[in-house]
Amino acid sequence: MTAAETKAETKAESKAEAAEVLISVRGVVKTYERGGETLRVLDGLDLDVKKGAFEALMGPSGSGKSTLLNLIAGLDRPTAGTITVGGKRIDELGESALAKWRGDTIGFVFQSFNLLPVLTALENVTLPLLLTRVAAKEREARATTALRIVGLEDRLHHYPRQLSGGQEQRVAIARAIVNDPALIVADEPTGDLDRKSAEDVLSLLERLNKQLGKTIVMVTHDPAAAERASIVRRLDKGQLQ
Amino acid sequence: MTLLGLAARNVLRNKVRATLTVLGVAISVLTFVLLRTVVGAWTAAADFAVKDRVVTRHKVTFVMTLPRRYVDDVRNAPHIRAATWANWFGGKDPKHESEFFATLAGDSKTFFTVYDDMKVDKETLERFQQDPQGAIVGDVLAKKMGWKAGDKVLLASSIYAKEGDWEFRIAGTYTATQKSVDRSTFVFHWTYLNDGVSIPGLKDQVGWIVSRVDDPSQAATIGVTLDKLFDDKEVQTLSQDERSFNSSFLASVSAILTAFDIISVVILAIMALLLGNTIAMGVRERTTEYGVLKAIGFRNGHIVLFIVGESTFVGLLGGLVGVLASYPIVERGLGRFLEENMGAFFPFFRINPLAALFAFVLALMLGATAAAIPALTASRLRPIEALRRVA
């Protein structure tokens, strides 16, 4: 094997390896100003998340796990360092481009569901599709499918106030997957739920990961929730342990 | 569901607040329309003035009179087709002291020829001309006072006082061919007044002379020519086309009209603040939702569209309610009352459709602009700030 062949093979290998990595965080620093004091929440953090992974981020309050999740999801910007998701440097994107990227790439699941109370379950799920060129009928069909996946096909026209907490979170998950995003980020998705509903939601996330191949990064305090993830990472004082 | 549909649903989210805000906007629009109608009614006499009529009065003031013989001089002047005269009688029905209506002593032969926008049928006119104490009254006044042809009417005058009241007989009524004509005027024979006057200074005097000219476009020039006739006489005159003459009355209430204009603007400003405040409250309460929308890909422009759309929708509802409410209030209530009771000031108190349209468009525009600050503030929030904010 010639030197050139060896070099080409090495390059191909590293390319294949890089292709498996969906999220690459390098040297990320995040600081906040609070009362004239600078708080260093993330301190030169490195992280790789592979495509199709289901990772849980755990750590004590103030460890920086939600901050890291927000940076990965493009909701916030790092003070220093780079964040690459799906081969795109999101820390370099402008506000408008970042918003579009979020719409195309990320599905969000929040602790307090954050559904719009004036919209039905179906309309809440349709919401991200309003930003696309998908026709109204197709939007409705896709949203119905998403709600069927989360087991709420019989609650299409119910308003959030007419649903239980677990059902609301499942609607939120349907909203997160309706665009077929590459990555789902979930911030304490079971934090506001009873044990039974939490189990249902975690099973659903597990299914999305295993059956639909969705990459999921989840922040949680709950060890039982973290057990469902394939990888559990712990943060403390802005560093991965 | 569309983006604007979502904005409309947000309006109806807090029904009590939405209803109160829409009512607030509606009342502002209604008040605006009413004020514009008052201004419009006040200026109606000038706006609808007959173009070929020239009014000649005392140069100093309308209150001072002219010698009767001036009428003949005017009639003999070039370009004058016809001329008549009248005096302000200042009459009141002693039984109904609070009822105000204009009372004019006019030349029975020519008054209704020159004022041909006061329409009198032939029989009524003949009856009037044959009876020295005859009077013709506006149909609205006759209806209000319950007068009919043949009725005897007693009036007292603060200007032409005499022992006992002036006695008249109703010959009939006139109607109007123009919106600006007061249908509550009482017209009687000038000769009856002149013969009954006991104060020597008021004898053979006329309040004003009204002429019809042959060329309306030359009315102002003809007026100047008329005044020249009397430059060397004991009383000088001021002749104006009817529009200018009527406008000179408005000059005395111009401060009130200006005040109405200012109040109109103030009302619009209050409306904008009311809307702005309501929208700002709604935006503050929903900041987290805007954070969610931004998180899932909605951009700053979308957030502005939501909030401005919501405010414009409130403006639209308030504008519609205000304009729709103003019609029955003015056309069936206030307008009718003012025309019947204050016809001299408001002969035609009706909504100008353009003013109503203007008020509606303004409500829409103010709705859009009132939301500008809350919309920009919300749109500029970073998603993470919006998601963390607690209302």
Side-chain angles (χ1 to χ4, degrees):
Chain A
M1 188 183 284
T2 64
E5 280 170 340
T6 310
K7 199 175 173 185
E9 201 169 275
T10 312
K11 206 172 173 182
E13 271 172 14
S14 71
K15 211 171 180 181
E17 199 176 314
E20 282 185 6
V21 174
L22 181 70
I23 303 166
S24 172
V25 176
R26 290 287 172 271
V28 160
V29 175
K30 183 67 187 177
T31 59
Y32 292 108
E33 296 293 325
R34 292 271 161 82
E37 208 178 316
T38 303
L39 295 175
R40 205 171 175 89
V41 181
L42 295 178
D43 191 11
L45 187 139
D46 293 332
L47 169 72
D48 282 333
V49 176
K50 288 189 178 171
K51 232 179 220 173
F54 183 0
E55 297 207 1
L57 294 174
M58 293 191 78
S61 291
S63 59
K65 54 190 187 302
S66 287
T67 302
L68 177 59
L69 192 77
N70 290 335
L71 291 173
I72 290 170
L75 290 176
D76 205 357
R77 290 175 183 282
T79 310
T82 64
I83 300 169
T84 309
V85 180
K88 189 168 245 177
R89 277 279 301 276
I90 63 168
D91 56 291
E92 289 179 333
L93 294 176
E95 276 303 321
S96 188
L98 193 59
K100 187 177 180 334
W101 175 82
R102 282 196 302 267
D104 294 341
T105 319
I106 309 287
F108 287 91
V109 181
F110 303 97
Q111 179 177 349
S112 46
F113 328 133
N114 286 337
L115 299 177
L116 268 61
V118 289
L119 302 182
T120 62
L122 185 67
E123 289 166 339
N124 263 292
V125 177
T126 309
L127 213 49
L129 297 173
L130 290 180
L131 298 168
T132 65
R133 290 187 179 177
V134 176
K137 268 198 169 175
E138 175 65 16
R139 285 203 298 258
E140 198 175 312
R142 284 197 200 175
T144 306
T145 304
L147 280 163
R148 191 173 298 128
I149 289 171
V150 301
L152 286 175
E153 62 269 40
D154 56 342
R155 293 286 187 274
L156 298 183
H157 302 294
H158 284 62
Y159 286 92
R161 64 177 178 279
Q162 298 167 320
L163 300 171
S164 69
Q167 287 172 330
E168 278 195 77
Q169 193 61 297
R170 280 149 67 194
V171 173
I173 292 171
R175 181 179 67 188
I177 60 170
V178 74
N179 256 355
D180 193 23
L183 171 66
I184 293 171
V185 293
D187 192 355
E188 300 277 9
T190 57
D192 282 1
L193 300 178
D194 59 61
R195 178 47 55 195
K196 168 78 177 65
S197 301
E199 285 297 323
D200 289 346
V201 165
L202 288 167
S203 298
L204 179 59
L205 288 175
E206 215 171 14
R207 195 151 57 88
L208 291 175
N209 172 247
K210 287 186 176 154
Q211 293 178 3
L212 300 178
K214 294 291 168 200
T215 308
I216 300 174
V217 179
M218 173 178 73
V219 162
T220 184
H221 272 112
D222 180 7
E227 267 180 28
R228 303 292 194 102
S230 48
I231 297 171
V232 179
R233 297 182 192 266
R234 293 179 192 282
L235 267 96
D236 195 19
K237 293 174 185 165
Q239 294 278 4
L240 279 170
Q241 300 299 297
Chain B
M1 190 192 54
T2 60
L3 297 181
L4 284 175
L6 177 57
R9 286 211 208 170
N10 272 334
V11 172
L12 303 172
R13 196 161 171 168
N14 186 330
K15 289 191 174 60
V16 174
R17 187 195 292 166
T19 306
L20 290 175
T21 311
V22 167
L23 277 178
V25 174
I27 290 169
S28 302
V29 168
L30 172 66
T31 313
F32 180 81
V33 171
L34 278 180
L35 286 174
R36 300 324 302 168
T37 306
V38 169
V39 173
W42 228 322
T43 57
D47 294 341
F48 292 95
V50 176
K51 290 185 173 68
D52 69 344
R53 255 190 324 234
V54 172
V55 183
T56 303
R57 64 160 172 95
H58 196 290
K59 190 173 186 178
V60 177
T61 165
F62 177 78
V63 177
M64 296 173 80
T65 52
L66 303 171
R68 158 68 183 83
R69 64 177 181 281
Y70 277 24
V71 177
D72 301 324
D73 295 334
V74 169
R75 280 178 175 155
N76 292 328
H79 306 293
I80 302 296
R81 288 196 292 119
T84 191
W85 71 93
N87 287 46
W88 182 264
F89 179 64
K92 273 193 173 179
D93 183 347
K95 289 185 213 156
H96 302 94
E97 284 278 346
S98 59
E99 299 289 355
F100 172 83
F101 50 89
T103 42
L104 303 179
D107 175 36
S108 60
K109 286 183 189 139
T110 54
F111 187 87
F112 289 103
T113 310
V114 174
Y115 283 107
D116 58 357
D117 43 358
M118 297 166 88
K119 198 176 166 194
V120 184
D121 64 58
K122 204 177 160 192
E123 293 78 31
T124 301
L125 190 60
E126 279 173 8
R127 212 163 35 240
F128 168 63
Q129 286 169 341
Q130 284 161 13
D131 181 359
Q133 285 176 269
I136 292 181
V137 299
D139 58 335
V140 171
L141 178 65
K143 191 179 169 194
K144 192 172 118 190
M145 304 298 278
W147 294 334
K148 54 189 185 304
D151 282 0
K152 194 172 84 175
V153 173
L154 296 176
L155 294 183
S157 169
S158 54
I159 305 166
Y160 299 96
K162 72 167 192 173
E163 268 185 41
D165 292 326
W166 294 81
E167 192 178 317
F168 302 97
R169 241 180 321 277
I170 303 295
T173 59
Y174 71 84
T175 53
T177 59
Q178 284 222 67
K179 291 173 180 176
S180 59
V181 173
D182 173 17
R183 288 158 65 193
S184 295
T185 299
F186 186 104
V187 183
F188 65 95
H189 292 251
W190 178 84
T191 46
Y192 178 49
L193 173 72
N194 199 47
D195 294 345
V197 163
S198 52
I199 304 163
L202 294 178
K203 204 92 174 160
D204 295 325
Q205 295 290 308
V206 301
W208 64 95
I209 302 164
V210 189
S211 324
R212 299 298 286 261
V213 300
D214 58 6
D215 184 359
S217 66
Q218 296 298 313
T221 318
I222 295 168
V224 173
T225 314
L226 290 177
D227 291 338
K228 279 187 181 158
L229 288 174
F230 308 110
D231 268 355
D232 301 327
K233 304 276 176 69
E234 72 274 27
V235 175
Q236 282 76 56
T237 59
L238 175 67
S239 299
Q240 296 167 295
D241 60 84
E242 192 174 76
R243 185 186 172 83
S244 307
F245 178 74
N246 291 341
S247 298
S248 68
F249 280 105
L250 293 178
S252 60
V253 291
S254 65
I256 298 173
L257 295 181
T258 308
F260 278 13
D261 286 339
I262 292 169
I263 294 169
S264 303
V265 174
V266 169
I267 284 167
L268 294 178
I270 291 171
M271 183 169 96
L273 290 173
L274 175 86
L275 255 176
N277 183 49
T278 307
I279 297 299
M281 273 198 290
V283 167
R284 217 167 28 242
E285 289 166 3
R286 294 197 293 273
T287 304
T288 309
E289 287 173 26
Y290 296 128
V292 173
L293 290 175
K294 287 189 135 192
I296 64 177
F298 284 83
R299 292 187 277 282
N300 293 357
H302 293 119
I303 304 298
V304 170
L305 184 72
F306 280 137
I307 298 168
V308 171
E310 188 181 331
S311 184
T312 309
F313 187 63
V314 173
L316 172 94
L317 289 179
L320 265 181
V321 173
V323 167
L324 290 178
S326 66
Y327 270 89
I329 288 173
V330 171
E331 305 281 318
R332 294 191 182 173
L334 192 62
R336 198 174 285 178
F337 173 82
L338 288 174
E339 285 173 12
E340 286 176 5
N341 296 282
M342 299 177 75
F345 300 109
F346 302 111
F348 184 74
F349 195 90
R350 297 299 156 100
I351 292 171
N352 178 350
L354 275 179
L357 180 68
F358 184 62
F360 177 70
V361 173
L362 265 179
L364 279 183
M365 286 170 60
L366 284 176
T369 50
I373 293 174
L376 284 175
T377 309
S379 73
R380 282 175 187 164
L381 276 176
R382 288 187 301 134
I384 196 68
E385 289 170 337
L387 282 168
R388 280 181 188 148
R389 191 162 291 192
V390 179

